[in-house]
Amino acid sequence: MTTDAPPEGPAIEVAGLHKSFGDLEVLKGIDLTVRRGEVVCVIGPSGSGKSTLLRCVNLLEQPTAGKVTVSGTEVTDPDVDIDRMRRRIGMVFQAFNLFPHLTVLGNLTISQRRVLGRGKAEAERLARAHLAGVGLGDKESAYPAQLSGGQQQRAAIARALSMGPELMLFDEPTSALDPELVGDVLAVMRKLADEGMTMLVVTHEMSFAREVADRVIFMDDGQIVEEGPAEQVVTDPQHQRTRLFLARVLDPAAAEVKEVG
Amino acid sequence: MTPRKRARTMRGAQYGVLLLVAAVLALTADWGEIRRAFFDVEVAKAQFPEIITTALVNTVIYTGLGFAFGLALGLLLALMKLSSVPPNRWLATVYIEFFRGVPALLVFIALGYGVPLAFQVRVDKLVTVMLALGLVGAAYMAETIRAGIQAVPKGQVEAARSLGMSHGRAMISIVIPQAFRIVLPPLANELILLTKDSSLVYVLGLALEEQELSKFGKDALNDYRSLTPILVAGLCYLIITIPLGHLVRRLEAKAARAK
Ligand SMILES: Nc1ncnc2c1ncn2[C@@H]1O[C@H](COP(=O)(O)OP(=O)(O)OP(=O)(O)O)[C@@H](O)[C@H]1O
Ligand SMILES: [Mg+2]
């Protein structure tokens, strides 16, 4: 990436981040910088703290220690207006979390109107544009329950985009989907990456990581074990733990052999 | 005996007992007397139209006012119970325990006579009814609504907050509308209970045009020396409560389907 350093500095800067739930230390000192326009994928075994890291970036979880800075504003500063900051950080969840009592259009307009104070006409115009962008132009009056998982997740992405965020966080956006629906969602994310969106993506989709990410981070046990260019981390990992994890994800049967051998 | 045969015999025995009871009742009862007491057509006719235009209408008005106030207060109490500020939770708990524990009749007396005496104020009767029914109903509805709010998945709030909504805005626009869908059936049940509790308003002393179904029926009983008005009043309650009961079941079925 050769983008000039914007005046705000990096999109995300995480320094010395610790997070504990009671006695359980889930994040054990994370340092991470995501430049503007960069796509960073986070991989790692279950329970390694990937979701927690993501949720600390928009303060859905309150870090125990450390500093998180988004576009030059320290979100961990107790005096910061976190609601105002969250408008600039889109988040997409594994379980979609669409609002079931609202239509797709309502899902996309409610926070534009209630949070940003946009008028109905403008909010709907933007919502329709984003729905068309994710291939759901004909679904605006459907309720979430009437959509497939893949459609729901694309609507959720459009909902986040309709707030005009500077960066997007994705927490395993395709893990809850039937295999045949994964492709549509990944295609939307790929397009978003091509348009220059800053993205921090927790995923198990290795081909997506390899093809779309600028950088891949491997987490294990609350720490970043390895990070580097996507191609390198995925095809030529330096650490034994990364190798074992990738072997298990890419080819479960082969992993057994390796671990035994 | 095979199990199936035994089951059939048991069922047959139950029909037999029921028939026997019915036969004994039919043979021993003084049907003329019962007819005069309960089904006096002339007396029944004399209740109309006032029993509808005054009594039924008043029952609906009293219940509606009490329910509306109780719902608002119940929502407030539910939010207090879920508050992160401990005194809010304590207050709500004390309130709920108190008003669930004391008879509604006592609340009517306290509001109807106690408050005017203690504070030297005259309170409009409709306001008194609304407060008394609402105060009692709120205690029950608060627990129902709290459970409904807690039944809304955590991811809903997280999605709302991620879109920049404040906690309050997320509650108003996202959580409470979903919670109310969940608690609609139990709330309709509460409305049925309140409909019947509205009869307690009689302790306040009612002018003719203020009478609701129970009081109306009781006065007519005195006038006509017949139980028929009570039966008619009872049927009028059913006109309200049976459709509500149907509504509850429809809502429950719909809620079950939506899952
Ligand atoms: N709110 C919480 N309270 C207590 N423990 C929690 C909480 N959230 C997460 N944890 C624990 O923190 C650890 C890390 O969880 P996290 O969800 O970040 O892992 P993950 O890497 O996203 O895993 P997965 O791939 O399964 O999603 C787990 O052991 C989890 O049980
Ligand atoms: Mg996770």
Side-chain angles (χ1 to χ4, degrees):
Chain A
M1 279 246 151
T2 52
T3 42
D4 298 321
E8 307 96 6
I12 306 172
E13 214 173 354
V14 175
L17 178 64
H18 288 258
K19 174 66 188 177
S20 300
F21 294 107
D23 290 338
L24 181 69
E25 191 174 29
V26 173
L27 296 180
K28 302 173 178 172
I30 302 279
D31 297 288
L32 167 70
T33 302
V34 179
R35 293 189 307 275
R36 296 231 298 170
E38 198 178 19
V39 177
V40 175
C41 280
V42 181
I43 61 174
S46 179
S48 55
K50 308 180 297 292
S51 298
T52 307
L53 167 62
L54 221 59
R55 293 158 60 85
C56 281
V57 172
N58 69 351
L59 242 62
L60 281 184
E61 300 291 356
Q62 183 69 48
T64 313
K67 221 164 100 168
V68 177
T69 308
V70 174
S71 293
T73 305
E74 189 195 330
V75 294
T76 37
D77 178 351
D79 290 330
V80 85
D81 182 349
I82 190 62
D83 294 336
R84 192 166 270 280
M85 276 312 291
R86 287 201 187 108
R87 299 174 194 177
R88 300 159 62 180
I89 311 172
M91 179 135 189
V92 175
F93 300 86
Q94 181 175 353
F96 327 135
N97 295 348
L98 288 177
F99 306 132
H101 62 302
L102 301 175
T103 62
V104 169
L105 196 64
N107 267 275
L108 268 74
T109 53
I110 187 154
S111 48
Q112 289 191 63
R113 301 198 56 201
R114 301 288 178 213
V115 175
L116 300 179
R118 284 182 188 149
K120 188 166 155 55
E122 195 200 355
E124 289 185 351
R125 185 179 58 76
L126 282 162
R128 290 198 176 98
H130 284 293
L131 281 175
V134 300
L136 292 176
D138 55 339
K139 294 290 184 196
E140 63 170 62
S141 46
Y143 281 88
Q146 298 169 313
L147 301 181
S148 74
Q151 291 170 331
Q152 287 191 49
Q153 192 61 295
R154 283 182 281 147
I157 294 172
R159 177 175 69 178
L161 291 175
S162 68
M163 295 296 284
E166 295 162 28
L167 60 134
M168 292 278 287
L169 310 173
F170 293 83
D171 190 1
E172 300 197 37
T174 58
S175 293
L177 298 178
D178 292 337
E180 73 270 22
L181 302 175
V182 169
D184 289 341
V185 172
L186 290 182
V188 165
M189 291 170 62
R190 199 179 292 247
K191 192 171 108 196
L192 205 53
D194 290 343
E195 289 165 5
M197 176 61 80
T198 309
M199 294 162 64
L200 184 58
V201 185
V202 175
T203 186
H204 290 299
E205 298 290 335
M206 288 308 148
S207 56
F208 177 84
R210 197 168 54 216
E211 290 160 28
V212 181
D214 299 299
R215 212 148 36 102
V216 169
I217 288 173
F218 173 69
M219 272 181 77
D220 194 8
D221 194 25
Q223 287 166 320
I224 294 179
V225 174
E226 177 162 1
E227 69 172 292
E231 189 63 38
Q232 184 207 305
V233 175
V234 176
T235 55
D236 183 24
Q238 303 300 302
H239 290 257
Q240 176 67 6
R241 278 197 278 179
T242 319
R243 243 173 267 147
L244 279 174
F245 171 77
L246 284 169
R248 218 176 302 135
V249 171
L250 293 173
D251 188 354
E256 306 271 318
V257 179
K258 249 190 201 163
E259 263 174 297
V260 172
Chain B
M1 244 197 298
T2 66
R4 180 191 284 185
K5 244 190 187 157
R6 189 178 315 141
R8 229 178 31 217
T9 318
M10 284 298 293
R11 234 182 354 254
Q14 289 181 45
Y15 277 116
V17 170
L18 285 173
L19 276 175
L20 194 69
V21 171
V24 169
L25 282 178
L27 290 174
T28 55
D30 180 346
W31 283 104
E33 190 59 34
I34 289 177
R35 195 106 130 257
R36 210 163 34 256
F38 281 101
F39 307 107
D40 190 323
V41 177
E42 287 311 310
V43 174
K45 271 189 191 153
Q47 307 311 314
F48 292 91
E50 286 79 12
I51 197 162
I52 302 292
T53 54
T54 305
L56 183 72
V57 167
N58 279 337
T59 291
V60 169
I61 290 174
Y62 297 158
T63 308
L65 285 174
F67 186 73
F69 173 59
L71 193 60
L73 183 58
L75 177 59
L76 178 69
L77 287 166
L79 293 174
M80 284 172 71
K81 270 220 103 160
L82 295 170
S83 165
S84 53
V85 183
N88 279 339
R89 296 200 296 271
W90 302 334
L91 269 176
T93 305
V94 168
Y95 179 97
I96 292 167
E97 293 300 333
F98 181 81
F99 279 97
R100 272 205 309 206
V102 302
L105 183 62
L106 221 64
V107 178
F108 270 93
I109 295 172
L111 279 177
Y113 299 101
V115 170
L117 269 181
F119 300 102
Q120 299 294 316
V121 287
R122 273 186 55 87
V123 185
D124 185 75
K125 199 164 289 166
L126 271 183
V127 174
T128 308
V129 177
M130 179 173 90
L131 289 178
L133 279 179
L135 288 174
V136 174
Y140 291 93
M141 289 192 258
E143 286 293 15
T144 306
I145 297 170
R146 180 192 55 75
I149 289 175
Q150 286 182 316
V152 176
K154 211 167 114 250
Q156 291 291 307
V157 179
E158 292 184 347
R161 299 302 305 268
S162 300
L163 289 163
M165 290 190 203
S166 64
H167 176 75
R169 170 49 65 188
M171 286 305 274
I172 293 170
S173 292
I174 306 302
V175 176
I176 291 174
Q178 291 183 53
F180 265 101
R181 292 184 161 198
I182 297 170
V183 300
L184 224 45
L187 280 185
N189 257 329
E190 184 57 31
L191 184 56
I192 292 175
L193 294 179
L194 274 189
T195 306
K196 295 184 289 177
D197 274 352
S198 69
S199 62
L200 294 171
V201 67
Y202 81 89
V203 295
L204 302 179
L206 296 174
L208 228 44
E209 71 280 3
E210 293 170 341
Q211 291 186 345
E212 43 65 65
L213 284 168
S214 292
K215 175 75 168 124
F216 186 95
K218 180 169 176 297
D219 281 8
L221 174 139
N222 289 342
D223 294 347
Y224 293 95
R225 308 258 144 220
S226 162
L227 273 170
T228 304
I230 295 294
L231 184 75
V232 178
L235 290 175
C236 286
Y237 276 110
L238 298 186
I239 293 177
I240 305 172
T241 55
I242 288 180
L244 277 177
H246 267 282
L247 182 69
V248 172
R249 278 189 294 281
R250 283 242 317 264
L251 292 172
E252 277 171 346
K254 208 170 144 195
R257 264 204 311 279
K259 263 182 209 150

